[in-house]
Amino acid sequence: MTTNTEIPRAVADHEFHRSSGVLKQWSPVSSYNEWDPLEEVIVGVLDHATIPSFHPALEATMPDRHVELFKTRGGKPFPSELIAAGQRELDALCRVLEAEGVIVRRPEPVDCSRGFATPDWAECGGLYSAMPRDVALVVGSEIIEAPMAWRSRYFEIHAYRSLFRHYFESGGRWAAAPRPVLSDASYNPEYEGAEGDDRFVGTNVEPTFDAADFVRCGRDIFAQRSHVTNHLGIEWLRRHLRGEYRVHELSFNDPSPMHIDATFVPLAPGKLLINPERVAKIPDVFRGWEVLVAPRPCIPEEHPMFMSSRWVSMNILMLDHERVLVERGEKPLIELLRSRRFTPIPCDFRHFNSFGGSFHCATLDVRRRGELHSYF
Ligand code: DAV
């Protein structure tokens, strides 16, 4: 496995390339969309994965049958056999990526069993270092740390800090959205059955977002307001990127939205995968795109899904315009992709799925070979 100490610093100092007539410094961080050929990726780890303590923000997106687990076992580790099985799948995923020519980096897991506090609140532990997609957004040559809305995830970014420092030293840009306070005012426990903006558990008192609520299509970035991503968070990103990127807000039929990547998944220029339960109408700007309707998930009903729906079946990762990582058991999706001229690479990921995500969530594409384009 490639380690995070081998990032080639010398390259950043000496290599330059021409782009749109402008001389640009080479950056180890460079990713504008979800489909250009993948060169380098961060893959999460499940060490110390801990059940977060119960909080209204979790209840908003958690499957009902697991609420009791969070109420009674917060701060305790997830079942060790499940962690071990998920780790084996992650390690196998890394080998598949490397065999496809991708450089793989892993975070340094934080010990989530340790409690922490701010002047306003305390948590008995963290969550995990398994989902780099949630904690940081790569836009062009910049890594942007997300102001996450769950208290249990407040320090999750620490697992990635040594990687980010190395990318920075090698020429990448690095920023963080304002650190949220997450006082009680950040949550509306009365969200259920409410209308309009009150239907989300996260209020709008300060910017919050999870990076996984954004999907990148070159100059256009699409966001969803969710239980963890608020208007101020979307607006912060919009202004941060103003001039080069347009940030659009989309909304879907999802009563418990958290992360856009099991709902609305642009696969390649002109090709879009949608969740048929949540996407009633294709947004106008995507008119003319070929739409693939995701088949119903094949994850067995009784399979433990602690933190998400079974629609993580469509949380797939593009390695380029054709190659795509898909869970081995999702046969109808694999067939659909094949029939539309994709090259699915089936991988085992069912145990990992229990932790709330699949291939897109478990990865953060740091570098894809390609340039900034407008696709609309
Ligand atoms: O159930 O749609 C999946 C995405 C998790 N990162 C869901 C959430």
Side-chain angles (χ1 to χ4, degrees):
M1 186 75 35
T2 324
T3 65
N4 59 17
T5 50
E6 294 161 19
I7 294 170
R9 182 168 186 176
V11 179
D13 297 336
H14 305 299
E15 249 187 60
F16 292 82
H17 73 96
R18 268 183 194 283
S19 158
S20 340
V22 183
L23 204 55
K24 252 179 39 180
Q25 191 175 1
W26 186 87
S27 168
V29 180
S30 182
S31 180
Y32 297 102
N33 55 51
E34 308 291 334
W35 51 69
D36 275 342
L38 185 61
E39 293 187 339
E40 183 161 338
V41 71
I42 300 174
V43 175
V45 295
L46 274 168
D47 308 60
H48 308 298
T50 300
I51 299 166
S53 46
F54 190 73
H55 184 270
L58 274 76
E59 191 176 27
T61 57
M62 176 185 302
D64 289 344
R65 71 183 160 123
H66 294 301
V67 168
E68 205 48 37
L69 178 84
F70 293 86
K71 281 197 166 148
T72 55
R73 298 197 49 83
K76 304 257 185 339
F78 278 101
S80 58
E81 328 76 66
L82 201 54
I83 293 180
Q87 291 277 36
R88 283 195 294 276
E89 290 171 345
L90 282 167
D91 293 345
L93 169 65
C94 294
R95 290 193 293 275
V96 169
L97 285 162
E98 287 177 332
E100 295 293 327
V102 180
I103 297 169
V104 175
R105 314 278 178 196
R106 308 299 294 273
E108 281 170 17
V110 287
D111 182 357
C112 300
S113 66
R114 289 166 58 191
F116 52 83
T118 76
D120 299 289
W121 47 264
E123 279 286 301
C124 59
L127 176 59
Y128 46 41
S129 314
M131 307 285 181
R133 185 70 57 186
D134 302 352
V135 300
L137 188 66
V138 172
V139 181
S141 62
E142 186 168 57
I143 297 173
I144 302 165
E145 297 182 4
M148 300 176 83
W150 283 14
R151 289 175 177 170
S152 52
R153 308 190 79 175
Y154 207 62
F155 293 110
E156 202 168 302
I157 194 73
H158 286 194
Y160 306 89
R161 279 282 167 84
S162 64
L163 279 173
F164 291 175
R165 181 177 58 84
H166 280 287
Y167 288 129
F168 178 69
E169 285 179 339
S170 313
R173 292 186 301 145
W174 184 14
R179 178 178 52 73
V181 177
L182 302 186
S183 72
D184 288 346
S186 283
Y187 306 100
N188 162 31
E190 312 294 322
Y191 65 93
E192 257 177 305
E195 300 276 317
D197 216 40
D198 291 338
R199 71 190 190 280
F200 303 105
V201 70
T203 60
N204 213 30
V205 297
E206 58 183 347
T208 64
F209 62 81
D210 278 13
D213 269 320
F214 296 85
V215 66
R216 303 153 307 148
C217 299
R219 287 206 185 273
D220 294 277
I221 297 176
F222 297 90
Q224 76 164 349
R225 170 80 164 99
S226 75
H227 284 297
V228 291
T229 295
N230 64 16
H231 287 305
L232 282 175
I234 296 171
E235 184 57 26
W236 182 86
L237 191 76
R238 181 176 285 132
R239 281 190 218 168
H240 184 75
L241 298 174
R242 190 158 56 191
E244 269 200 297
Y245 298 90
R246 299 172 284 256
V247 176
H248 312 263
E249 194 173 325
L250 301 178
S251 94
F252 305 105
N253 294 340
D254 183 357
S256 17
M258 177 173 174
H259 306 164
I260 197 168
D261 53 359
T263 298
F264 191 83
V265 178
L267 299 171
K271 294 185 186 188
L272 173 68
L273 178 68
I274 60 155
N275 181 321
E277 283 186 357
R278 299 178 185 166
V279 181
K281 180 179 176 293
I282 306 298
D284 286 344
V285 357
F286 285 86
R287 198 176 297 137
W289 281 47
E290 179 182 344
V291 176
L292 285 76
V293 178
R296 294 200 62 76
C298 296
I299 304 182
E301 292 280 358
E302 64 284 1
H303 190 74
M305 296 297 286
F306 297 122
M307 326 193 55
S308 76
S309 74
R310 292 153 65 246
W311 283 106
V312 291
S313 56
M314 57 180 287
N315 188 255
I316 58 184
L317 181 73
M318 301 302 299
L319 303 190
D320 57 23
H321 290 205
E322 282 154 21
R323 289 175 299 157
V324 52
L325 297 179
V326 193
E327 217 289 328
R328 195 182 304 281
E330 298 296 334
K331 302 274 190 251
L333 179 58
I334 291 173
E335 279 318 304
L336 173 68
L337 289 162
R338 274 212 186 101
S339 74
R340 303 294 184 96
R341 300 171 305 283
F342 290 95
T343 309
I345 303 173
C347 295
D348 297 306
F349 224 39
R350 276 292 180 254
H351 299 97
F352 185 86
N353 289 163
S354 296
F355 295 92
S358 201
F359 304 107
H360 194 256
C361 300
T363 55
L364 180 64
D365 42 322
V366 171
R367 196 169 63 257
R368 290 181 183 266
R369 194 171 61 250
E371 306 265 306
L372 180 58
H373 291 295
S374 196
Y375 297 93
F376 299 92

PDB file of all heavy atoms in Angstrom, residues 61 131 134 212 254 256 258-263 275 278 307-312 315 356-358 361, ligand 1:
ATOM      1  N   THR A  61     -31.950  11.096   9.994  1.00  0.00           N
ATOM      2  CA  THR A  61     -31.604  10.335   8.794  1.00  0.00           C
ATOM      3  C   THR A  61     -31.397   8.853   9.076  1.00  0.00           C
ATOM      4  O   THR A  61     -31.110   8.082   8.167  1.00  0.00           O
ATOM      5  CB  THR A  61     -30.295  10.879   8.169  1.00  0.00           C
ATOM      6  OG1 THR A  61     -29.255  10.828   9.142  1.00  0.00           O
ATOM      7  CG2 THR A  61     -30.465  12.295   7.685  1.00  0.00           C
ATOM      8  N   MET A 131     -15.243   7.729   5.719  1.00  0.00           N
ATOM      9  CA  MET A 131     -15.950   8.363   4.597  1.00  0.00           C
ATOM     10  C   MET A 131     -15.313   9.703   4.238  1.00  0.00           C
ATOM     11  O   MET A 131     -15.867  10.769   4.539  1.00  0.00           O
ATOM     12  CB  MET A 131     -17.427   8.589   4.958  1.00  0.00           C
ATOM     13  CG  MET A 131     -18.174   7.367   5.456  1.00  0.00           C
ATOM     14  SD  MET A 131     -18.577   6.219   4.119  1.00  0.00           S
ATOM     15  CE  MET A 131     -19.469   4.964   5.078  1.00  0.00           C
ATOM     16  N   ASP A 134     -17.320  12.789   2.815  1.00  0.00           N
ATOM     17  CA  ASP A 134     -18.158  13.673   3.619  1.00  0.00           C
ATOM     18  C   ASP A 134     -17.391  14.870   4.167  1.00  0.00           C
ATOM     19  O   ASP A 134     -17.964  15.938   4.363  1.00  0.00           O
ATOM     20  CB  ASP A 134     -18.744  12.918   4.832  1.00  0.00           C
ATOM     21  CG  ASP A 134     -19.560  11.706   4.434  1.00  0.00           C
ATOM     22  OD1 ASP A 134     -19.814  11.527   3.220  1.00  0.00           O
ATOM     23  OD2 ASP A 134     -19.933  10.934   5.338  1.00  0.00           O
ATOM     24  N   ALA A 212     -20.355  15.692   0.855  1.00  0.00           N
ATOM     25  CA  ALA A 212     -21.069  14.724   0.022  1.00  0.00           C
ATOM     26  C   ALA A 212     -22.438  15.231  -0.427  1.00  0.00           C
ATOM     27  O   ALA A 212     -23.146  14.542  -1.162  1.00  0.00           O
ATOM     28  CB  ALA A 212     -21.222  13.402   0.764  1.00  0.00           C
ATOM     29  N   ASP A 254     -37.055  13.592  -0.953  1.00  0.00           N
ATOM     30  CA  ASP A 254     -36.377  12.724   0.001  1.00  0.00           C
ATOM     31  C   ASP A 254     -36.674  13.262   1.397  1.00  0.00           C
ATOM     32  O   ASP A 254     -36.239  14.348   1.745  1.00  0.00           O
ATOM     33  CB  ASP A 254     -34.862  12.743  -0.287  1.00  0.00           C
ATOM     34  CG  ASP A 254     -34.088  11.803   0.612  1.00  0.00           C
ATOM     35  OD1 ASP A 254     -34.707  11.177   1.497  1.00  0.00           O
ATOM     36  OD2 ASP A 254     -32.860  11.704   0.429  1.00  0.00           O
ATOM     37  N   SER A 256     -35.561  12.270   4.193  1.00  0.00           N
ATOM     38  CA  SER A 256     -34.390  12.311   5.091  1.00  0.00           C
ATOM     39  C   SER A 256     -33.098  12.543   4.308  1.00  0.00           C
ATOM     40  O   SER A 256     -32.219  11.703   4.326  1.00  0.00           O
ATOM     41  CB  SER A 256     -34.296  11.048   5.935  1.00  0.00           C
ATOM     42  OG  SER A 256     -35.071  10.008   5.427  1.00  0.00           O
ATOM     43  N   MET A 258     -29.538  13.354   3.195  1.00  0.00           N
ATOM     44  CA  MET A 258     -28.192  13.555   3.731  1.00  0.00           C
ATOM     45  C   MET A 258     -27.264  12.955   2.687  1.00  0.00           C
ATOM     46  O   MET A 258     -27.180  11.740   2.567  1.00  0.00           O
ATOM     47  CB  MET A 258     -28.037  12.840   5.074  1.00  0.00           C
ATOM     48  CG  MET A 258     -26.624  12.944   5.645  1.00  0.00           C
ATOM     49  SD  MET A 258     -26.563  12.265   7.320  1.00  0.00           S
ATOM     50  CE  MET A 258     -24.797  12.343   7.644  1.00  0.00           C
ATOM     51  N   HIS A 259     -26.659  13.794   1.903  1.00  0.00           N
ATOM     52  CA  HIS A 259     -25.714  13.433   0.847  1.00  0.00           C
ATOM     53  C   HIS A 259     -26.445  13.140  -0.459  1.00  0.00           C
ATOM     54  O   HIS A 259     -27.368  12.322  -0.497  1.00  0.00           O
ATOM     55  CB  HIS A 259     -24.807  12.260   1.244  1.00  0.00           C
ATOM     56  CG  HIS A 259     -24.096  12.529   2.537  1.00  0.00           C
ATOM     57  ND1 HIS A 259     -23.487  11.556   3.274  1.00  0.00           N
ATOM     58  CD2 HIS A 259     -23.905  13.689   3.230  1.00  0.00           C
ATOM     59  CE1 HIS A 259     -22.953  12.094   4.368  1.00  0.00           C
ATOM     60  NE2 HIS A 259     -23.197  13.384   4.366  1.00  0.00           N
ATOM     61  N   ILE A 260     -25.959  13.788  -1.500  1.00  0.00           N
ATOM     62  CA  ILE A 260     -26.635  13.746  -2.805  1.00  0.00           C
ATOM     63  C   ILE A 260     -26.287  12.467  -3.575  1.00  0.00           C
ATOM     64  O   ILE A 260     -26.955  12.098  -4.540  1.00  0.00           O
ATOM     65  CB  ILE A 260     -26.245  15.015  -3.605  1.00  0.00           C
ATOM     66  CG1 ILE A 260     -27.194  15.272  -4.783  1.00  0.00           C
ATOM     67  CG2 ILE A 260     -24.782  14.960  -4.067  1.00  0.00           C
ATOM     68  CD1 ILE A 260     -27.022  16.649  -5.422  1.00  0.00           C
ATOM     69  N   ASP A 261     -25.266  11.713  -3.093  1.00  0.00           N
ATOM     70  CA  ASP A 261     -24.670  10.688  -3.947  1.00  0.00           C
ATOM     71  C   ASP A 261     -25.329   9.313  -3.869  1.00  0.00           C
ATOM     72  O   ASP A 261     -24.752   8.313  -4.307  1.00  0.00           O
ATOM     73  CB  ASP A 261     -23.147  10.597  -3.727  1.00  0.00           C
ATOM     74  CG  ASP A 261     -22.743  10.424  -2.277  1.00  0.00           C
ATOM     75  OD1 ASP A 261     -23.639  10.396  -1.401  1.00  0.00           O
ATOM     76  OD2 ASP A 261     -21.530  10.313  -2.009  1.00  0.00           O
ATOM     77  N   ALA A 262     -26.556   9.256  -3.321  1.00  0.00           N
ATOM     78  CA  ALA A 262     -27.388   8.058  -3.506  1.00  0.00           C
ATOM     79  C   ALA A 262     -28.722   8.499  -4.100  1.00  0.00           C
ATOM     80  O   ALA A 262     -29.735   7.803  -3.995  1.00  0.00           O
ATOM     81  CB  ALA A 262     -27.588   7.324  -2.193  1.00  0.00           C
ATOM     82  N   THR A 263     -28.719   9.681  -4.706  1.00  0.00           N
ATOM     83  CA  THR A 263     -29.940  10.277  -5.240  1.00  0.00           C
ATOM     84  C   THR A 263     -29.751  10.727  -6.683  1.00  0.00           C
ATOM     85  O   THR A 263     -30.543  10.401  -7.566  1.00  0.00           O
ATOM     86  CB  THR A 263     -30.350  11.495  -4.369  1.00  0.00           C
ATOM     87  OG1 THR A 263     -30.614  11.036  -3.040  1.00  0.00           O
ATOM     88  CG2 THR A 263     -31.572  12.197  -4.912  1.00  0.00           C
ATOM     89  N   ASN A 275     -32.112   8.260  -8.759  1.00  0.00           N
ATOM     90  CA  ASN A 275     -32.881   7.438  -7.834  1.00  0.00           C
ATOM     91  C   ASN A 275     -34.369   7.648  -8.158  1.00  0.00           C
ATOM     92  O   ASN A 275     -34.884   8.758  -8.022  1.00  0.00           O
ATOM     93  CB  ASN A 275     -32.553   7.909  -6.406  1.00  0.00           C
ATOM     94  CG  ASN A 275     -33.274   7.130  -5.346  1.00  0.00           C
ATOM     95  OD1 ASN A 275     -34.444   6.773  -5.511  1.00  0.00           O
ATOM     96  ND2 ASN A 275     -32.601   6.890  -4.244  1.00  0.00           N
ATOM     97  N   ARG A 278     -36.705   9.305  -5.603  1.00  0.00           N
ATOM     98  CA  ARG A 278     -36.439  10.658  -5.117  1.00  0.00           C
ATOM     99  C   ARG A 278     -36.413  11.724  -6.207  1.00  0.00           C
ATOM    100  O   ARG A 278     -36.576  12.909  -5.903  1.00  0.00           O
ATOM    101  CB  ARG A 278     -35.087  10.681  -4.388  1.00  0.00           C
ATOM    102  CG  ARG A 278     -35.059   9.749  -3.190  1.00  0.00           C
ATOM    103  CD  ARG A 278     -33.702   9.764  -2.522  1.00  0.00           C
ATOM    104  NE  ARG A 278     -33.639   8.787  -1.441  1.00  0.00           N
ATOM    105  CZ  ARG A 278     -32.504   8.406  -0.868  1.00  0.00           C
ATOM    106  NH1 ARG A 278     -31.350   8.919  -1.263  1.00  0.00           N
ATOM    107  NH2 ARG A 278     -32.526   7.515   0.111  1.00  0.00           N
ATOM    108  N   MET A 307     -26.903   3.542   9.177  1.00  0.00           N
ATOM    109  CA  MET A 307     -26.932   4.995   9.029  1.00  0.00           C
ATOM    110  C   MET A 307     -27.446   5.491   7.691  1.00  0.00           C
ATOM    111  O   MET A 307     -27.373   6.683   7.428  1.00  0.00           O
ATOM    112  CB  MET A 307     -25.522   5.559   9.232  1.00  0.00           C
ATOM    113  CG  MET A 307     -24.772   4.768  10.250  1.00  0.00           C
ATOM    114  SD  MET A 307     -23.290   5.514  10.836  1.00  0.00           S
ATOM    115  CE  MET A 307     -23.861   7.049  11.377  1.00  0.00           C
ATOM    116  N   SER A 308     -27.915   4.623   6.836  1.00  0.00           N
ATOM    117  CA  SER A 308     -28.378   5.120   5.534  1.00  0.00           C
ATOM    118  C   SER A 308     -29.455   4.189   5.016  1.00  0.00           C
ATOM    119  O   SER A 308     -29.754   3.156   5.599  1.00  0.00           O
ATOM    120  CB  SER A 308     -27.231   5.150   4.528  1.00  0.00           C
ATOM    121  OG  SER A 308     -26.950   3.836   4.091  1.00  0.00           O
ATOM    122  N   SER A 309     -30.008   4.564   3.856  1.00  0.00           N
ATOM    123  CA  SER A 309     -30.957   3.685   3.188  1.00  0.00           C
ATOM    124  C   SER A 309     -30.188   2.653   2.359  1.00  0.00           C
ATOM    125  O   SER A 309     -28.968   2.747   2.212  1.00  0.00           O
ATOM    126  CB  SER A 309     -31.857   4.515   2.272  1.00  0.00           C
ATOM    127  OG  SER A 309     -31.131   4.917   1.128  1.00  0.00           O
ATOM    128  N   ARG A 310     -30.916   1.719   1.768  1.00  0.00           N
ATOM    129  CA  ARG A 310     -30.277   0.711   0.921  1.00  0.00           C
ATOM    130  C   ARG A 310     -29.890   1.278  -0.443  1.00  0.00           C
ATOM    131  O   ARG A 310     -29.208   0.633  -1.222  1.00  0.00           O
ATOM    132  CB  ARG A 310     -31.203  -0.504   0.783  1.00  0.00           C
ATOM    133  CG  ARG A 310     -31.334  -1.249   2.128  1.00  0.00           C
ATOM    134  CD  ARG A 310     -32.657  -2.002   2.267  1.00  0.00           C
ATOM    135  NE  ARG A 310     -32.755  -3.071   1.309  1.00  0.00           N
ATOM    136  CZ  ARG A 310     -33.647  -3.123   0.304  1.00  0.00           C
ATOM    137  NH1 ARG A 310     -34.529  -2.146   0.140  1.00  0.00           N
ATOM    138  NH2 ARG A 310     -33.662  -4.132  -0.519  1.00  0.00           N
ATOM    139  N   TRP A 311     -30.286   2.518  -0.703  1.00  0.00           N
ATOM    140  CA  TRP A 311     -29.954   3.143  -1.993  1.00  0.00           C
ATOM    141  C   TRP A 311     -28.466   3.465  -2.142  1.00  0.00           C
ATOM    142  O   TRP A 311     -28.046   3.981  -3.181  1.00  0.00           O
ATOM    143  CB  TRP A 311     -30.801   4.395  -2.219  1.00  0.00           C
ATOM    144  CG  TRP A 311     -32.204   4.064  -2.628  1.00  0.00           C
ATOM    145  CD1 TRP A 311     -33.328   4.163  -1.864  1.00  0.00           C
ATOM    146  CD2 TRP A 311     -32.632   3.574  -3.908  1.00  0.00           C
ATOM    147  NE1 TRP A 311     -34.432   3.759  -2.585  1.00  0.00           N
ATOM    148  CE2 TRP A 311     -34.031   3.400  -3.841  1.00  0.00           C
ATOM    149  CE3 TRP A 311     -31.977   3.257  -5.101  1.00  0.00           C
ATOM    150  CZ2 TRP A 311     -34.787   2.936  -4.922  1.00  0.00           C
ATOM    151  CZ3 TRP A 311     -32.722   2.796  -6.177  1.00  0.00           C
ATOM    152  CH2 TRP A 311     -34.106   2.639  -6.076  1.00  0.00           C
ATOM    153  N   VAL A 312     -27.672   3.170  -1.121  1.00  0.00           N
ATOM    154  CA  VAL A 312     -26.220   3.302  -1.339  1.00  0.00           C
ATOM    155  C   VAL A 312     -25.771   2.361  -2.461  1.00  0.00           C
ATOM    156  O   VAL A 312     -24.649   2.441  -2.931  1.00  0.00           O
ATOM    157  CB  VAL A 312     -25.385   3.062  -0.057  1.00  0.00           C
ATOM    158  CG1 VAL A 312     -25.604   4.177   0.941  1.00  0.00           C
ATOM    159  CG2 VAL A 312     -25.664   1.712   0.545  1.00  0.00           C
ATOM    160  N   ASN A 315     -24.334   4.365  -5.083  1.00  0.00           N
ATOM    161  CA  ASN A 315     -23.201   5.203  -4.662  1.00  0.00           C
ATOM    162  C   ASN A 315     -21.918   4.632  -5.283  1.00  0.00           C
ATOM    163  O   ASN A 315     -21.094   4.025  -4.611  1.00  0.00           O
ATOM    164  CB  ASN A 315     -23.164   5.176  -3.117  1.00  0.00           C
ATOM    165  CG  ASN A 315     -22.181   6.143  -2.528  1.00  0.00           C
ATOM    166  OD1 ASN A 315     -21.126   5.730  -2.060  1.00  0.00           O
ATOM    167  ND2 ASN A 315     -22.518   7.402  -2.526  1.00  0.00           N
ATOM    168  N   GLY A 356     -23.011   3.074   6.236  1.00  0.00           N
ATOM    169  CA  GLY A 356     -23.671   4.266   5.701  1.00  0.00           C
ATOM    170  C   GLY A 356     -23.186   4.756   4.357  1.00  0.00           C
ATOM    171  O   GLY A 356     -23.484   5.894   3.980  1.00  0.00           O
ATOM    172  N   GLY A 357     -22.463   3.948   3.614  1.00  0.00           N
ATOM    173  CA  GLY A 357     -22.018   4.443   2.308  1.00  0.00           C
ATOM    174  C   GLY A 357     -21.477   3.337   1.451  1.00  0.00           C
ATOM    175  O   GLY A 357     -21.439   2.177   1.847  1.00  0.00           O
ATOM    176  N   SER A 358     -21.088   3.723   0.233  1.00  0.00           N
ATOM    177  CA  SER A 358     -20.448   2.748  -0.638  1.00  0.00           C
ATOM    178  C   SER A 358     -19.223   3.394  -1.294  1.00  0.00           C
ATOM    179  O   SER A 358     -18.569   4.224  -0.658  1.00  0.00           O
ATOM    180  CB  SER A 358     -21.460   2.196  -1.638  1.00  0.00           C
ATOM    181  OG  SER A 358     -20.999   0.951  -2.148  1.00  0.00           O
ATOM    182  N   CYS A 361     -18.748   7.310  -1.256  1.00  0.00           N
ATOM    183  CA  CYS A 361     -18.566   7.828   0.110  1.00  0.00           C
ATOM    184  C   CYS A 361     -17.206   7.477   0.684  1.00  0.00           C
ATOM    185  O   CYS A 361     -16.604   8.280   1.402  1.00  0.00           O
ATOM    186  CB  CYS A 361     -19.612   7.228   1.046  1.00  0.00           C
ATOM    187  SG  CYS A 361     -21.302   7.570   0.609  1.00  0.00           S
TER     188      CYS A 361
HETATM  189  O1  DAV B   1     -29.564   6.851   2.300  1.00  0.00           O
HETATM  190  O2  DAV B   1     -29.495   8.112   0.626  1.00  0.00           O
HETATM  191  C1  DAV B   1     -26.599   7.708   1.398  1.00  0.00           C
HETATM  192  C2  DAV B   1     -25.353   8.531   1.291  1.00  0.00           C
HETATM  193  C3  DAV B   1     -24.463   8.370   2.413  1.00  0.00           C
HETATM  194  N1  DAV B   1     -23.237   9.108   2.281  1.00  0.00           N
HETATM  195  C4  DAV B   1     -29.026   7.709   1.649  1.00  0.00           C
HETATM  196  C5  DAV B   1     -27.719   8.314   2.101  1.00  0.00           C
END
